[in-house]
Amino acid sequence: MRWSSHLPRAFWHSGLGRALQTADESIPFVIHWNWALKREYPLGPSRVFIRHYGSSVGSGPPSGRHGQLFQNISATEAIQWHRRNLAEWFSRLPREERQFGPTFALDTVHVDPVIRESTPNELLHLPSELALEHQLPLARLSTLALSQLFNPDACGRRVQTVVLYGTVGTGKSTLVRKMVLDWCHGRLPAFELLIPFSCEDLSSVGSAPVSLCQLVAQRYTHLKEILPLMAATGSRLLFVLHGLERLNLDFRLTGTGLCSDPEKPEAPAAIIVNLLRKYMLPEASILVTTRPSAIGRIPSKYVGRYGEICGFSDTNLQKLYFQLRLNQPDCGHSDGVGVSATSAQRDSLVEMLSRNLEGHHQITAACFLPSYCWLICATLHFLHAPTPAGQTLTSIYTSFLRLNFSGEMLDSSDPSKLSLMAYAARTMGKLAYEGVSSRKTYFSEEDVRGCLEAGIKTEEEFQLLHVFRWDALRFFLAPCMEPEHPGTFVFTVPAMQEYLAALYIVLGLHKTTLQQVGKEVAELVGRVGEDVSLVLGIMAKLLPLRALPLLFNLLKVVPRVFGRMVGKNREAVAQAMVLEMFREEDYYNDDVLDQMSASILGIEGPRRHPDEPPEDEVFELFPMFMGGLLSAHNRAMLAQLGCPIKNLDALENAQAIKKKLGKLGRQVLPPPELLDHLFFHYEFQNQHFSAEVLSSLCQLNLAGVRMTPLKCTVVAAVLGSGRHALHEVNLASCQLDPAGLRTLMPVFLRARKLGLQLNSLGPEACRDLRDLLLHDQCQITTLRLSNNPLTAEGVALLVEGLAGNTSLTHLSLLHTGLGDKGLELLAAQLDRNQQLQELNVAYNGAGDTAALALARTAWEHPSLELLHLYFNELTSEGRRVLRNLGGTAEGRARVVVSLTEGTAVSEYWSVILSEVQRNLNSWDQGRVQRHLELLLQDLEDNRGATLNPWRKAQLLRVEGEVKALLEQLGGPGH
């Protein structure tokens, strides 16, 4: 089933005999992809799994000649050169794989998919229904290890030709690469010479005559010397023919004559036919890989064994794959941005994913195909590790499809040469979009048939549908695992439905009947319009016919009317996309990135009550993918898949989306929805577009959103390059770390007010905050750092930033663990800043001496107006002295240490109690209760000391507020 079913022409090119090029210059993407999925890792305990799950190591030689056949020095050197070149060629990693770390290597650790031995009779029966029959229980399968492929059959006959088949994504290419690498490193002693061929490469040669020796010499230069010895190699020569569906073979004698001479020029297809007939090099062994639809191109009498590649039908294989890939020690190298995932974080991801697999959830059906295991790993890496520059979720999905479908034709025998991905976009995209439009993710067999068979009228179209069902349908659809929806199908991973729906739209495949008719009429008029217009123009000059100019103008109007009709359709799609992005009744409250992570890891939120009506399905990724597919990078990859998006269409779609976003994007959004809006712009990767749409955004409120490295990258990439100032940036309770602060620095430089409360930022974060305050573009006036464990060590760095900053006027260090030392540092350095107007150092465990020192410095400060010192460890005498100091001279800083000022209520009592109420659950409750009791006693004493009834009433009111807080804490409350 998937896992890159073909290797393109350049896979085994003549360059192998020359100096090797770099991977990005010479290796096609599909090859890179195939290498990616079956990654291997350093030798260790998992080596036992390699042997158990089908390594070709230790396969015994088939019957025939034994011993070293190439014994002269030149032949031995040629073989060694061949081994080295193949090993280096097949070991190279594509760019997508390098994000996981440089330790991947196919020849060290490998997880083979399950291979089930099948019979010719099974191949005759293509299921007429949509049942995905390959998900058979493992106990019913007669499985094969790689080392058993060429073992004698049940009757003891020698097996010379093996055909491995599997749908797109099951791992055919990876098996081929692993066998080649095993041979290169001497772990396949059964064969002395291995010659791999890409059938796509052979098909590109066409029908030009060429001999087998020439084919080998052109691709493997070092084998020229030993070509005359091939016939003597016997069964110790192994040909690997990968992607047989790319060749049109004719085994009829009238179509392909007999030829036994390897040096006689013939069409490449004729050479392959005679090799498979065992008429040319009859003793040679042959391994063929193909998609299921092409199995019948080889008569069964020429095949010794059939093997169906069944993917990871064993959950243990899926878990092993994830453990090997996600537990790389250097997985997630940050390249200077962010930090790599720790070992504990990687273990946690693997553990949650394993639990989800063990629960036999829908993800288990998805991971049946090794390629989807890769997609899940790539998505988790994208969500939880520092993101490479320019990588988006859309680009991951587009790369995933390119790695599986690039260069793939639906049917090589069909004259249309239709791209397999283009066919999938038209059929599966239609099903996906209809699901999004009707808000459903479960599809009946009738739903699927309706989309697959829509518009089919000819025998050729039915044949193409037959091939698609057999080869690729399982790639996109899986049976639903939920007992509430028996007999239904879902897209293999939920996000694939939204991706294909978006692709269906941006490719312009969604058209109403009126638009389809209008397009045909417009094209017809366009074809004849110029000629008719010319004739009518001449006739109008020669004949006095007044109707001719009218007809002349009508011919010009028709294309314009159709153009407007298409424009209206684009606006309608843009409207639907924007409404989906800003739905108020979304079922999930989390942002779309957290939703995706929870879906993969099996993290579930609160369930609905059974009596509640079912909620609508949510498709928040649909607009993200629409924006992402319009980016230049993704359009270039789609063109390689045979799904080109014209620049003009992309521009008009973008303009329609911008028009609708401009209207709806100005509303104030909840933090998760605001992040989704920013993520849409990140996926679009168009700074000019984003700058225009977001020009009215003045407040960035992401409070409570868990800011992972990816989310920090998203916000920085979208807003970091803007020019207008942000009035406020609120990142309270976002689980930020110093790496996140560094990533978000460009956004902070645009902020006037910056809230970083409740983020567990420690002293190391103060280094970055110091650099922010000292930056020449810093315009922050208010900085809130309350409820972060900065400590005195961190304040020592902050005061350096305060000394050189000229914009900051309000600084909150409430509950930051400063202690006496922290306040003393502030007292010693505060005079170096001449702009600060308000400083909050309440609830920091400071005593009388440190608090009084800071208060005196504040009293003498030229600009400071207010100093908060309440909830510190102050004695009654200390509070009295501080109150007296705060009110001795007009124009000096006021010191707030209590809810009272003399016998009156302090004008800041509501500020103090609101801070307590806001942090009641996060602060030390015993300590807060003690302070509230002291405040309550102070209020009662002042109420008894005053005769003013107005003041008594105010004091009673505040007493009631304090008692209410004490009751929440379980205190006496008097």
Side-chain angles (χ1 to χ4, degrees):
M1 287 153 219
R2 354 161 174 125
W3 245 81
S4 255
S5 59
H6 96 86
L7 298 178
R9 174 183 179 183
F11 186 54
W12 297 301
H13 214 299
S14 55
L16 277 177
R18 311 191 194 108
L20 290 166
Q21 306 172 38
T22 64
D24 290 335
E25 293 172 339
S26 63
I27 303 179
F29 221 85
V30 175
I31 306 164
H32 278 319
W33 157 237
N34 295 327
W35 299 354
L37 289 179
K38 287 266 166 143
R39 239 353 62 246
E40 341 243 308
Y41 307 86
L43 289 172
S46 57
R47 186 66 179 172
V48 63
F49 288 95
I50 301 175
R51 298 183 182 278
H52 180 70
Y53 287 119
S55 170
S56 51
V57 177
S59 55
S63 59
R65 297 181 57 182
H66 300 278
Q68 189 74 18
L69 298 175
F70 303 107
Q71 296 184 352
N72 64 75
I73 296 177
S74 60
T76 302
E77 290 179 351
I79 294 293
Q80 292 305 315
W81 268 105
H82 183 55
R83 290 180 189 271
R84 283 195 294 269
N85 287 344
L86 283 181
E88 186 166 351
W89 184 261
F90 278 82
S91 298
R92 295 186 180 186
L93 290 172
R95 185 179 294 108
E96 282 77 7
E97 285 295 57
R98 289 200 291 271
Q99 67 178 314
F100 293 106
T103 60
F104 295 139
L106 267 175
D107 56 344
T108 54
V109 177
H110 177 70
V111 182
D112 282 333
V114 171
I115 303 174
R116 180 181 71 92
E117 185 169 8
S118 61
T119 64
N121 289 334
E122 295 180 37
L123 306 177
L124 297 176
H125 305 290
L126 172 66
S128 58
E129 66 281 347
L130 294 173
L132 304 175
E133 76 293 344
H134 20 269
Q135 292 206 122
L136 297 172
L138 192 61
R140 293 172 54 187
L141 303 181
S142 173
T143 58
L144 287 169
L146 283 180
S147 59
Q148 300 171 327
L149 291 180
F150 288 93
N151 283 0
D153 63 13
C155 298
R157 292 172 298 197
R158 181 157 64 98
V159 173
Q160 291 181 278
T161 302
V162 176
V163 174
L164 296 180
Y165 65 94
T167 58
V168 177
T170 47
K172 300 182 297 295
S173 301
T174 304
L175 280 177
V176 169
R177 292 195 315 278
K178 183 59 171 64
M179 288 193 70
V180 171
L181 287 172
D182 279 346
W183 179 80
C184 291
H185 296 290
R187 296 195 294 263
L188 198 59
F191 304 105
E192 196 162 337
L193 178 60
L194 184 147
I195 300 177
F197 281 116
S198 164
C199 292
E200 182 183 10
D201 179 22
L202 297 179
S203 68
S204 66
V205 178
S207 58
V210 62
S211 70
L212 176 61
C213 291
Q214 288 173 328
L215 285 176
V216 175
Q218 288 171 2
R219 287 151 183 77
Y220 309 108
T221 308
H222 293 288
L223 297 182
K224 284 183 178 179
E225 300 181 23
I226 61 173
L227 289 179
L229 303 176
M230 278 199 306
T233 311
S235 61
R236 297 178 68 80
L237 169 63
L238 174 62
F239 286 101
V240 177
L241 306 176
H242 181 63
L244 189 75
E245 68 275 359
R246 303 305 298 264
L247 287 176
N248 294 320
L249 305 181
D250 188 352
F251 279 81
R252 297 172 303 170
L253 288 176
T254 56
T256 303
L258 298 175
C259 177
S260 61
D261 186 359
E263 297 185 2
K264 181 182 177 181
E266 294 279 354
I271 293 174
I272 299 302
V273 166
N274 280 293
L275 281 174
L276 292 169
R277 284 172 173 167
K278 293 303 175 185
Y279 201 79
M280 182 183 294
L281 301 180
E283 295 295 318
S285 300
I286 302 174
L287 175 67
V288 177
T289 66
T290 184
R291 299 202 309 243
S293 63
I295 295 174
R297 297 183 186 181
I298 307 176
S300 59
K301 64 181 179 179
Y302 298 124
V303 179
R305 174 171 286 127
Y306 290 97
E308 180 186 9
I309 303 177
C310 297
F312 292 159
S313 54
D314 183 353
T315 306
N316 290 326
L317 293 178
Q318 300 173 4
K319 293 166 63 176
L320 177 61
Y321 181 94
F322 290 125
Q323 289 168 3
L324 295 176
R325 181 170 289 271
L326 294 175
N327 271 327
Q328 289 300 297
D330 48 2
C331 177
H333 56 289
S334 60
D335 295 330
V337 180
V339 293
S340 300
T342 65
S343 176
Q345 290 170 333
R346 292 193 298 266
D347 290 341
S348 177
L349 283 179
V350 172
E351 182 180 354
M352 286 189 288
L353 191 53
S354 296
R355 281 202 303 266
N356 203 16
L357 290 170
E358 290 168 359
H360 301 289
H361 297 141
Q362 196 64 49
I363 191 175
T364 309
C367 294
F368 177 85
L369 296 174
S371 55
Y372 274 94
C373 292
W374 182 91
L375 178 62
I376 288 171
C377 284
T379 304
L380 284 175
H381 189 269
F382 175 73
L383 294 172
H384 295 279
T387 306
Q391 187 184 56
T392 64
L393 184 64
T394 311
S395 69
I396 288 176
Y397 273 73
T398 307
S399 295
F400 168 68
L401 293 174
R402 179 172 66 165
L403 292 167
N404 282 275
F405 292 99
S406 180
E408 289 280 1
M409 291 182 292
L410 182 57
D411 186 359
S412 62
S413 62
D414 185 73
S416 66
K417 305 298 181 186
L418 180 63
S419 159
L420 180 55
M421 189 61 225
Y423 191 90
R426 191 177 72 205
T427 54
M428 293 293 97
K430 177 179 175 62
L431 181 67
Y433 181 72
E434 289 183 357
V436 171
S437 301
S438 57
R439 313 202 68 78
K440 68 177 183 179
T441 57
Y442 307 98
F443 303 93
S444 66
E445 185 172 331
E446 290 72 23
D447 295 332
V448 180
R449 285 187 184 279
C451 290
L452 288 175
E453 299 176 2
I456 292 182
K457 300 176 182 178
T458 66
E459 180 63 29
E460 291 76 13
E461 290 172 337
F462 272 107
Q463 176 60 27
L464 291 178
L465 174 58
H466 172 90
V467 172
F468 180 78
R469 276 183 172 178
W470 187 247
D471 289 347
L473 184 60
R474 175 61 182 89
F475 185 89
F476 296 103
L477 293 180
C480 179
M481 306 286 286
E482 297 179 14
E484 310 92 64
H485 300 90
T488 59
F489 300 89
V490 295
F491 280 85
T492 312
V493 292
M496 184 58 73
Q497 177 180 351
E498 299 176 71
Y499 179 93
L500 290 174
L503 181 62
Y504 185 71
I505 294 300
V506 299
L507 289 176
L509 298 174
H510 175 59
K511 295 182 178 69
T512 64
T513 304
L514 179 62
Q515 290 170 334
Q516 292 171 354
V517 173
K519 181 180 180 181
E520 293 174 1
V521 172
E523 289 176 349
L524 177 61
V525 172
R527 283 196 296 269
V528 301
E530 293 185 4
D531 295 335
V532 174
S533 298
L534 179 61
V535 173
L536 291 177
I538 295 172
M539 291 178 66
K541 293 180 180 178
L542 299 177
L543 300 174
L545 299 176
R546 297 181 180 181
L548 290 178
L550 177 60
L551 184 58
F552 177 81
N553 290 328
L554 284 175
L555 287 172
K556 294 181 179 179
V557 167
V558 172
R560 294 176 193 167
V561 172
F562 175 70
R564 290 179 182 175
M565 197 159 48
V566 173
K568 291 292 183 182
N569 181 56
R570 288 198 178 98
E571 290 188 8
V573 170
Q575 175 79 5
M577 188 210 78
V578 173
L579 289 175
E580 184 66 48
M581 192 185 305
F582 297 116
R583 274 171 50 93
E584 294 181 3
E585 62 273 18
D586 283 348
Y587 179 71
Y588 296 101
N589 291 323
D590 291 337
D591 60 83
V592 68
L593 296 175
D594 279 352
Q595 290 177 37
M596 175 166 275
S597 179
S599 172
I600 294 174
L601 299 175
I603 304 170
E604 298 180 352
R607 296 183 177 273
R608 277 196 322 270
H609 190 275
D611 296 335
E612 292 182 12
E615 299 282 351
D616 285 342
E617 294 287 351
V618 177
F619 298 98
E620 292 185 277
L621 277 175
F622 170 63
M624 315 300 172
F625 282 137
M626 272 197 67
L629 289 171
L630 293 175
S631 69
H633 176 63
N634 282 297
R635 284 190 286 123
M637 285 195 286
L638 286 171
Q640 298 174 14
L641 289 168
C643 302
I645 301 173
K646 296 179 181 178
N647 291 330
L648 182 59
D649 289 340
L651 177 62
E652 292 176 347
N653 276 312
Q655 289 174 342
I657 293 171
K658 180 165 64 176
K659 181 179 178 181
K660 299 302 178 182
L661 275 179
K663 293 179 180 179
L664 294 177
R666 295 189 183 97
Q667 58 185 312
V668 178
L669 299 172
E673 294 299 315
L674 178 57
L675 183 66
D676 289 347
H677 187 192
L678 298 178
F679 185 60
F680 167 81
H681 289 276
Y682 177 76
E683 290 291 310
F684 198 8
Q685 295 281 297
N686 188 322
Q687 289 187 354
H688 179 70
F689 174 93
S690 300
E692 288 190 34
V693 174
L694 297 173
S695 59
S696 60
L697 181 67
C698 295
Q699 184 176 12
L700 179 65
N701 180 16
L702 297 176
V705 174
R706 185 172 58 91
M707 294 299 290
T708 62
L710 171 62
K711 295 175 188 177
C712 292
T713 300
V714 167
V715 175
V718 174
L719 296 177
S721 58
R723 296 182 180 179
H724 71 281
L726 294 171
H727 177 68
E728 182 175 3
V729 174
N730 185 1
L731 295 173
S733 302
C734 288
Q735 302 181 35
L736 276 171
D737 56 14
L741 294 181
R742 289 190 291 273
T743 303
L744 291 168
M745 191 69 71
V747 180
F748 295 162
L749 292 174
R750 294 179 53 194
R752 297 288 174 80
K753 296 181 179 179
L754 177 59
L756 297 174
Q757 313 95 297
L758 289 163
N759 276 297
S760 300
L761 296 173
E764 64 278 8
C766 293
R767 193 177 308 276
D768 301 295
L769 294 172
R770 176 198 62 187
D771 296 340
L772 171 63
L773 293 172
L774 292 176
H775 199 284
D776 56 0
Q777 296 180 15
C778 178
Q779 50 187 319
I780 296 174
T781 59
T782 301
L783 178 60
R784 302 187 186 94
L785 297 173
S786 56
N787 297 298
N788 287 296
L790 304 181
T791 71
E793 181 184 352
V795 167
L797 295 168
L798 276 181
V799 294
E800 295 179 20
L802 286 173
N805 180 271
T806 58
S807 64
L808 193 66
T809 58
H810 295 74
L811 175 62
S812 175
L813 297 174
L814 168 74
H815 191 217
T816 51
L818 303 185
D820 289 339
K821 185 176 180 181
L823 265 64
E824 289 168 0
L825 282 169
L826 284 169
Q829 303 289 332
L830 194 59
D831 59 346
R832 297 175 63 187
N833 180 289
Q834 301 296 308
Q835 287 79 34
L836 200 62
Q837 298 174 13
E838 181 178 351
L839 177 62
N840 189 340
V841 289
Y843 197 10
N844 271 293
D848 291 352
T849 304
L852 187 58
L854 180 59
R856 285 171 177 162
T857 302
W859 186 71
E860 297 172 355
H861 197 277
S863 62
L864 198 64
E865 299 173 358
L866 189 62
L867 175 65
H868 299 261
L869 282 171
Y870 50 87
F871 273 35
N872 279 295
E873 302 301 317
L874 305 175
T875 63
S876 299
E877 179 63 21
R879 289 196 298 274
R880 185 188 63 79
V881 173
L882 287 170
R883 278 198 295 268
N884 293 338
L885 181 65
T888 53
E890 189 175 346
R892 302 286 185 167
R894 300 188 65 178
V895 181
V896 180
V897 293
S898 178
L899 297 174
T900 60
E901 292 179 2
T903 58
V905 174
S906 169
E907 62 181 288
Y908 299 104
W909 72 268
S910 61
V911 175
I912 297 173
L913 293 185
S914 63
E915 285 286 359
V916 176
Q917 180 68 58
R918 188 182 303 116
N919 298 285
L920 203 58
N921 295 325
S922 60
W923 286 356
D924 182 289
Q925 296 195 357
R927 188 173 170 187
V928 172
Q929 181 175 330
R930 178 167 53 84
H931 281 289
L932 287 175
E933 289 171 351
L934 290 174
L935 293 175
L936 183 61
Q937 184 64 48
D938 194 26
L939 287 167
E940 292 173 346
D941 292 345
N942 282 280
R943 181 164 52 86
T946 182
L947 299 176
N948 188 319
W950 174 247
R951 288 185 177 179
K952 283 182 178 286
Q954 285 183 312
L955 289 166
L956 277 171
R957 177 190 173 190
V958 177
E959 283 181 37
E961 298 285 346
V962 175
K963 289 177 180 179
L965 289 174
L966 283 169
E967 288 177 0
Q968 291 185 46
L969 292 171
H974 299 282

